[in-house]
Amino acid sequence: MTASVDTTAAISVNDLTLAYREKPVLWDIDLAVPRGSLMAVVGPNGAGKSTLIKAILGLLKPASGTIRVYGKPYQEQRRLVAYVPQRGTVDWDFPTDALDVVLMGSYGRLGWVRRPTKSDRDAAMECLGKVGMASFADRQISQLSGGQQQRVFLARALLQNADIYLMDEPFVGVDATTEHAILTLMRELQSQGKTLVVVHHDLETVSEYFDSVAILNVQLIAAGPMNTTFTADNLRQAYGPRVASKIAFLKP
Amino acid sequence: MDSALTIILICSLVAVSGALLGPFLLLRRMSLMTDAISHSILFGIVIGFLLFNTLDSLPMILAASAIGILTVVLTEMLFKTGLVREDAAIGMVFPALFSIGVIIISRFLSNVHIDIDTALVGEVIWAPFDTIPFLGGEVARGLVITGAIALVNLAFVGVFYKELKLVTFDSALASSLGFWSGGLTFALMTLVSVTAVGAFDAVGAVLLVGFMIVPAAAAYLLTERLSVMIGLSLVIGVLGCVIGYYAALAIDTSISGMMVTVLGVIFALVLIFAPQRGLLAGMLRRRRQQWEFAARLLVIHVLNHEGQPNEGDELALATVNQHLNWSPAYAEQIVQRARQRGWLDVASGRLLALTPDGRQIARETLA
């Protein structure tokens, strides 16, 4: 329980167990995400990576355990956290344009009933610019490529102007330009002292893109700085013995 | 008030209510749930009548609406057992509630003005004669009820437009930002139920979904903005009512039935002729792309064979089609197109020759 009094942790997860019906998806997770870290969450399919993110956001109810954001429950710290969901979770045929989706990032601050103003719109436009999408502001969202859609989501999170960014597989199915744009942005955010927790699927780029990692397979296998945590042993524990081909790039 | 105008107004107000909620239901893939609610409402109305002995007091409307919510809750519960798929769950719950309603009416309420026919498609023709005192005059009861419900729906969508949009597009984000998405969904379902009860006399259980979903579905094909989609739904819904009324009069048939038929026709026309997303636009776009591709293919063919010993055969206007395995007519059309775009000339000896533009296009395409 030391993590819960650790004031340097942006997010601390203690004894978190979460189950769909009776099947545990996360078993007794203890994880502290230090302030200012750029952390990857990796693990095989069904490891509970997205579930962990959703639990932090209060979208799923844990069977046990606590989650704290800067020492307080998420519900009291909403304004400090921005969420970039998986691209596939929304209907991109929804009748709206890119700017409008970005503008949704202002809704949390506005609260109920109040509408975005001209200055919110300007701020949203600026965020679109930061992800290189300014010229697509009035493009219908179904006409954007996968990578462009992902950047719209990123711009939306930027508009929230949060301290902590939770991203669920932002690199899946994006083009090289987008991958580069996301990476640059993540590093820029980190240099501003923000904390980023990113579900990531590509083991080969983990150590290049991130400075720390949490390895998950229902239980937390290991978490910490990249060089001491991202080891062949830990990965084998998470992915099973047949992962050898996936981690051939790692020195034993 | 003129009875034709009263009937058109009552139905238009139902359409207005439907058009306000319909776009959200459609985008949330809840069209079928709407249909389920409007059927179950029959049971609600029977219960409401047995409890309050009237068909349109506020408590009665609310009691009847509760059955709409019950439909959603029961369906959800059945689905969550993991033993039944969602569409099947809907298909179990509403026929059960609807049939209980039918049994009670035919067994115990045969002397009341609700009968099975009216329950299915409504009957709006007598509405103008059923008046109540309102603001110092006599106004059709149906007009007051549907008007009040349309106003409530307008207020709801007007006030919570931003929240409804967010929860419809990305409910996880809505929840994580602190919006109560369950509450909004509950409110939406409640208003669908209230609308169904209020519209019951006019359009019955079966046709309400036509007023809610059809205008929204047509509007969806015409715009890329949610606010415009709602506006177009309103216009299409009211248009269907007006045209439907006079069409029903002309051939002496069910008014609500004709209105929904007209809405169906409007949808079909939109489906075919919508400027961007319509079937016709899609077909023309595909054909243009096909021609564009063929014209590029042709200039590449010319680029590859110009100056070759066999160019007299490969590039001759008369024989080029055989080399590309095109019909002569199609080849002629594509040559025509490429010439119009300034990519090709027909040089001496009836040979195809590239213009500088055409040469560049061919090289770009190959690059």
Side-chain angles (χ1 to χ4, degrees), chain A residues 21 59 74 78-79 90-91 93-97 100 104 107 111-115 140 143 156 160, chain B residues 27 29 80 158 161-163 165-166 168-170 172-173 175-180 220 224-226:
Chain A
R21 297 213 180 86
L59 296 175
Y74 170 77
R78 290 185 198 281
R79 297 293 87 80
V90 305
D91 174 13
D93 283 326
F94 193 88
T96 192
D97 57 32
D100 199 41
M104 290 177 187
Y107 287 11
W112 288 88
V113 181
R114 264 174 62 203
R115 299 288 172 84
Q140 210 274 325
Q143 289 164 14
R156 185 176 74 177
Q160 287 180 250
Chain B
L27 292 168
R29 294 161 208 258
K80 283 208 172 128
Y161 176 73
K162 173 182 112 232
E163 287 77 10
K165 179 162 75 176
L166 179 63
T168 305
F169 177 65
D170 192 345
L173 181 76
S175 302
S176 78
L177 291 176
F179 293 102
W180 186 31
Y220 177 70
E224 294 174 343
R225 290 199 77 82
L226 180 59

Side-chain angles (χ1 to χ4, degrees), chain B residues 107-118:
Chain B
R107 185 70 188 78
F108 304 107
L109 296 177
S110 44
N111 55 344
V112 192
H113 103 125
I114 19 182
D115 60 67
I116 305 295
D117 283 350
T118 318

Side-chain angles (χ1 to χ4, degrees), chain B residues 9-285:
Chain B
L9 271 178
I10 289 177
C11 292
S12 295
L13 286 166
V14 171
V16 165
S17 286
L20 287 163
L21 307 178
F24 297 104
L25 298 164
L26 185 86
L27 292 168
R28 299 186 70 168
R29 294 161 208 258
M30 295 183 92
S31 308
L32 201 56
M33 186 58 91
T34 311
D35 199 30
I37 289 175
S38 70
H39 277 81
S40 307
I41 282 306
L42 177 66
F43 179 51
I45 285 174
V46 169
I47 295 292
F49 183 77
L50 291 175
L51 283 177
F52 299 100
N53 214 20
T54 120
L55 278 173
D56 48 19
S57 69
L58 186 62
M60 184 275 160
I61 289 180
L62 291 179
S65 304
I67 300 297
I69 300 296
L70 181 72
T71 312
V72 180
V73 172
L74 285 178
T75 304
E76 199 75 346
M77 275 168 60
L78 199 56
F79 175 58
K80 283 208 172 128
T81 60
L83 302 172
V84 183
R85 286 178 190 277
E86 191 164 22
D87 57 338
I90 294 176
M92 310 280 176
V93 172
F94 85 79
L97 295 173
F98 182 72
S99 50
I100 297 172
V102 169
I103 291 172
I104 297 178
I105 289 181
S106 54
R107 185 70 188 78
F108 304 107
L109 296 177
S110 44
N111 55 344
V112 192
H113 103 125
I114 19 182
D115 60 67
I116 305 295
D117 283 350
T118 318
L120 289 175
V121 298
E123 188 49 273
V124 74
I125 197 92
W126 307 115
F129 308 106
D130 179 13
T131 58
I132 50 171
F134 186 76
L135 298 178
E138 288 282 313
V139 178
R141 188 197 302 266
L143 201 54
V144 177
I145 294 172
T146 52
I149 292 172
L151 277 178
V152 171
N153 286 342
L154 184 66
F156 175 68
V157 173
V159 172
F160 297 113
Y161 176 73
K162 173 182 112 232
E163 287 77 10
L164 283 166
K165 179 162 75 176
L166 179 63
V167 112
T168 305
F169 177 65
D170 192 345
S171 67
L173 181 76
S175 302
S176 78
L177 291 176
F179 293 102
W180 186 31
S181 39
L184 275 170
T185 306
F186 182 82
L188 186 63
M189 291 296 104
T190 304
L191 287 178
V192 170
S193 304
V194 169
T195 304
V197 176
F200 195 80
D201 275 348
V203 302
V206 181
L207 295 179
L208 178 73
V209 69
F211 286 84
M212 288 227 171
I213 301 301
V214 179
Y220 177 70
L221 296 174
L222 290 171
T223 175
E224 294 174 343
R225 290 199 77 82
L226 180 59
S227 50
V228 179
M229 181 178 166
I230 295 173
L232 284 173
S233 297
L234 289 167
V235 172
I236 291 169
V238 172
L239 197 66
C241 289
V242 176
I243 299 175
Y245 175 79
Y246 289 105
L249 226 54
I251 63 167
D252 188 21
T253 184
S254 155
I255 292 172
S256 56
M258 187 48 99
M259 286 174 176
V260 174
T261 304
V262 170
L263 287 173
V265 171
I266 294 177
F267 174 77
L269 291 175
V270 169
L271 181 73
I272 297 169
F273 296 108
Q276 302 290 324
R277 302 201 203 173
L279 294 175
L280 206 61
M283 224 169 70
L284 290 175
R285 193 161 46 235

Side-chain angles (χ1 to χ4, degrees), chain A residues 23-61:
Chain A
K23 192 177 178 295
V25 195
L26 291 172
W27 253 140
D28 201 35
I29 305 286
D30 287 284
L31 173 69
V33 182
R35 277 177 203 222
S37 48
L38 177 50
M39 179 182 273
V41 179
V42 301
N45 288 336
K49 305 180 295 279
S50 298
T51 306
L52 177 64
I53 299 283
K54 286 181 186 152
I56 295 171
L57 290 162
L59 296 175
L60 299 171
K61 202 174 168 298

